[in-house]
Amino acid sequence: MDKTIWLIDDDESIRESMAFLLSGMGWPVKTFESVDAFIAVHARDTALVGCMLLDMRMPGKGGLTWLEEGEWPWPLLPVIIMTGHGTVDACRRAFRNGVFEFFTKPLDADKLIETVGLAFEESQRRFSDWKETSRIKAHFAQLTVREHEVLAELMKGLSNKEVAARLNLSPRTVEAHRAAAFTKLGVSSLIQAIREYDKLQSV
């Protein structure tokens, strides 16, 4: 996983100084002067990883206002808010909208570097979870409607005969659908199938 820092701040001097500091750690830093500049390039790149350093107040759309607009399009990207005008209310609003950390300018360089490192770890965790969820979704998407029906009844604890009676099928047909579903899911038992299904429900 690439560890990229996406830095959005309207102050050119801050962008340059922070990019110099963070790139010195061996981290790629991509800078943007506004929210709109970032969106123009990455609106469709919803699987971005790394972390975002986001100024809270900027001309046009501010960072906090952006976060409050709705569902965040980059779920793998922890956001670190920076502001020269920090208030308790702003901090609460930021964390309520899923911000990873909240800094008041001038920034403590050591604390910032430590926090970016932790944000990278969080992004890696989210990326791993996303890959696992995507894998399971792809497997379940292969099931036919009937295989879904049979598996759903089996997960309720019904036997093959009980499922056959409920769906008006023969026990042999139920067994065939069960076997096909297990093959597509890459599992060898109902317990394993249930565990895979439960992972999807916990997302």
Side-chain angles (χ1 to χ4, degrees):
M1 186 192 80
D2 294 332
K3 294 180 177 179
T4 300
I5 297 169
W6 314 86
L7 169 60
I8 306 176
D9 197 302
D10 64 299
D11 190 320
E12 183 177 2
S13 64
I14 289 181
R15 293 199 305 273
E16 290 179 349
S17 62
M18 291 188 65
F20 178 78
L21 169 68
L22 297 168
S23 61
M25 300 296 297
W27 296 327
V29 182
K30 296 189 178 181
T31 63
F32 302 86
E33 64 181 11
S34 67
V35 167
D36 288 339
F38 175 84
I39 292 174
V41 179
H42 297 292
R44 297 186 179 183
D45 300 334
T46 56
L48 290 179
V49 293
C51 76
M52 177 179 286
L53 296 175
L54 179 62
D55 191 22
M56 187 176 81
R57 291 186 180 180
M58 292 178 282
K61 186 179 296 184
L64 187 53
T65 299
W66 185 28
L67 291 172
E68 291 179 327
E69 285 183 344
E71 185 175 353
W72 183 242
W74 299 276
L76 310 182
L77 202 61
V79 177
I80 299 170
I81 283 281
M82 310 173 295
T83 181
H85 310 278
T87 65
V88 172
D89 178 63
C91 187
R92 285 175 177 167
R93 287 167 58 196
F95 284 114
R96 196 160 52 235
N97 284 276
V99 165
F100 185 75
E101 188 54 273
F102 188 98
F103 278 100
T104 301
K105 300 175 182 176
L107 306 179
D108 181 310
D110 291 337
K111 183 63 175 176
L112 176 63
I113 289 170
E114 177 187 357
T115 301
V116 168
L118 293 173
F120 281 150
E121 291 178 8
E122 171 64 14
S123 188
Q124 175 66 65
R125 184 193 66 76
R126 295 181 189 181
F127 179 68
S128 298
D129 289 347
W130 172 75
K131 281 185 64 178
E132 175 68 0
T133 300
S134 298
R135 178 190 67 80
I136 297 171
K137 282 182 177 179
H139 285 175
F140 272 93
Q142 297 178 59
L143 302 185
T144 65
V145 173
R146 182 61 85 183
E147 286 164 359
H148 269 291
E149 290 177 338
V150 168
L151 193 58
E153 297 299 333
L154 291 170
M155 286 182 179
K156 295 175 183 178
L158 301 183
S159 67
N160 286 355
K161 288 184 178 180
E162 290 170 329
V163 174
R166 179 165 295 189
L167 299 180
N168 196 28
L169 301 171
S170 71
R172 181 170 294 181
T173 300
V174 168
E175 182 57 42
H177 286 311
R178 173 186 175 127
F182 284 6
T183 298
K184 292 176 181 178
L185 295 178
V187 301
S188 57
S189 69
L190 182 60
I191 292 298
Q192 291 176 341
I194 291 172
R195 285 174 181 167
E196 294 287 271
Y197 181 78
D198 285 347
K199 289 177 184 177
L200 291 182
Q201 305 312 302
S202 63
V203 174

